[in-house]
Amino acid sequence: MKWTAGKLKELKGGRKIAMLTAYDALTASIVDAAGIPAILVGDSLGMTVLGYETTLPVAMEEMLHHTAAVARGVREALVVADMPFMSYQPSVALALENAGSFVKEAHADAVKIEGGAFRAETIEALVRNGIPVLGHIGLTPQSIKAMGGYKVQGRSSEEARRLMDDAMAVEQAGAFALVLECMPPALGEAISKSLSIPTIGIGAGAGCDGQVLVFTDLLGMSGRPVPRFVRKYAELHPLMASAVAAYREDVESGSFPSDEHAY
Ligand code: KIV
């Protein structure tokens, strides 16, 4: 069964939603075959696979290229394209044009945009024009310069109230689900209980309706420390590095290729 934004929304109050990022057809096919219902082509790809320091330099062309690859690797999962920095902030018209490109050219099923109440007009316009939207509040990495770093959000009661208002506004605007990033678990749970759309947490506690993690963090692929909210299910970096080193040694010593690899 191909997942749609509507079907994912119906999971509210039922089975929890496991979401993962993927950036290419190969990893998307693995994630899809594992039964993950929704794949996010996150702009985190800027840091995880493109070598940027932050998500800010990621361009529309890069996101379109990777989203199209993910869509080619998927049979059932919902493919959500993350709209990169400055592809939707300047105007609703630009947001519509770029979100349209994700659907028309890259075959995304939905888009994700960061921001709360102040982004409601954009979310509404996208939804009205047939493009399902996943919201994203809390720690929003595209505002990292204004936030002053990757910090937990909503610790004070004033901030928590603002995030609750933002969540309500995003739901009201028509988003089918909402990512809650880096906030105290009690706030994640309170927001989740107040909304009729599913919340997808990342560092927002177990009270959310689902969770999202970055594929390369989950599998320990980077060889670098991961955030506290990540549970690693494998440690692939040293495994891959030692396999590559073994290949180099075999070529240098002449033990590869052997007769069995010859025609
Ligand atoms: O870019 C990304 O991967 C994200 C998720 C981690 C929520 O925005």
Side-chain angles (χ1 to χ4, degrees), residues 21 23 40-45 55 82 112 114 136 141 179 181 200 202 212-214 229:
T21 69
Y23 311 117
L40 173 66
V41 191
D43 63 354
S44 53
L45 68 81
T55 60
D82 210 358
K112 175 170 85 61
E114 297 182 3
H136 183 166
V179 170
E181 181 161 354
I200 313 289
I202 174 161
V212 58
L213 283 177
V214 166
F229 55 71

Side-chain angles (χ1 to χ4, degrees), residues 89-120:
Q89 287 91 341
S91 69
V92 173
L94 185 68
L96 263 176
E97 193 179 315
N98 283 324
S101 298
F102 276 118
V103 174
K104 278 178 81 163
E105 295 168 34
H107 306 292
D109 300 309
V111 299
K112 175 170 85 61
I113 65 175
E114 297 182 3
F118 64 96
R119 202 64 75 204

Side-chain angles (χ1 to χ4, degrees), residues 91-175:
S91 69
V92 173
L94 185 68
L96 263 176
E97 193 179 315
N98 283 324
S101 298
F102 276 118
V103 174
K104 278 178 81 163
E105 295 168 34
H107 306 292
D109 300 309
V111 299
K112 175 170 85 61
I113 65 175
E114 297 182 3
F118 64 96
R119 202 64 75 204
E121 191 192 350
T122 306
I123 296 172
E124 234 170 65
L126 296 180
V127 173
R128 219 180 314 119
N129 284 282
I131 301 174
V133 176
L134 173 63
H136 183 166
I137 63 167
L139 197 172
T140 44
Q142 292 177 13
S143 307
I144 205 67
K145 303 259 185 206
M147 287 179 162
Y150 296 96
K151 294 177 186 160
V152 177
Q153 304 294 305
R155 280 202 201 274
S156 69
S157 51
E158 191 185 322
E159 259 187 33
R161 212 168 315 114
R162 184 181 51 76
L163 285 171
M164 179 64 85
D165 292 346
D166 280 340
M168 299 286 193
V170 169
E171 170 174 285
Q172 193 68 35

